[in-house]
Amino acid sequence: MTGDDDDRYQGRIHGEQFETEEDSIGMRLIYMILIAIMISLAQTVLGIATIIQFVILLINKQPNERLADFGTDLGVWVAKAARYQTAASNVKPWPWTELD
């Protein structure tokens, strides 16, 4: 990842986020359970995307840019979800907020 890409990636994770009001502890638990399930699904999708990208690399000798960008977007989503799960942020990830 180049310096510009790293800056853009970091900005998507730690950049300006519109904090929402805090949910009740019960609602936060429900969101945390739902997000944990979504993170598990994201891991499966990442594994499948990894295998597909590897096959593309074997055939074309270069990565598929759209799939690589999807991997970056997925990584940003997981990072935002982890920040909510660990209470580092009150901003819930997509689908509750925009997927930037």
Side-chain angles (χ1 to χ4, degrees), residues 45-85:
V45 169
L46 178 61
I48 292 168
T50 301
I51 293 168
I52 292 170
Q53 186 72 292
F54 183 74
V55 170
I56 290 170
L57 282 169
L58 284 175
I59 295 169
N60 294 336
K61 307 293 187 237
Q62 61 185 11
N64 179 290
E65 290 298 320
R66 288 177 52 196
L67 191 55
D69 289 342
F70 171 75
T72 299
D73 291 341
L74 185 61
V76 168
W77 181 86
V78 170
K80 287 183 175 185
R83 286 179 48 82
Y84 183 81
Q85 293 289 77

Side-chain angles (χ1 to χ4, degrees):
M1 195 178 290
T2 66
D4 289 340
D5 287 342
D6 190 46
D7 290 342
R8 189 170 63 231
Y9 177 76
Q10 289 298 323
R12 291 176 68 187
I13 295 173
H14 301 293
E16 182 179 358
Q17 296 181 18
F18 299 103
E19 291 285 330
T20 57
E21 59 186 63
E22 287 190 37
D23 297 315
S24 69
I25 196 73
M27 283 305 295
R28 187 168 188 105
L29 175 63
I30 290 170
Y31 286 127
M32 290 175 82
I33 291 169
L34 288 173
I35 292 170
I37 292 167
M38 293 169 72
I39 289 172
S40 178
L41 290 172
Q43 288 177 308
T44 302
V45 169
L46 178 61
I48 292 168
T50 301
I51 293 168
I52 292 170
Q53 186 72 292
F54 183 74
V55 170
I56 290 170
L57 282 169
L58 284 175
I59 295 169
N60 294 336
K61 307 293 187 237
Q62 61 185 11
N64 179 290
E65 290 298 320
R66 288 177 52 196
L67 191 55
D69 289 342
F70 171 75
T72 299
D73 291 341
L74 185 61
V76 168
W77 181 86
V78 170
K80 287 183 175 185
R83 286 179 48 82
Y84 183 81
Q85 293 289 77
T86 59
S89 172
N90 288 326
V91 178
K92 292 181 272 309
W94 178 88
W96 294 278
T97 58
E98 288 293 319
L99 181 65
D100 54 20

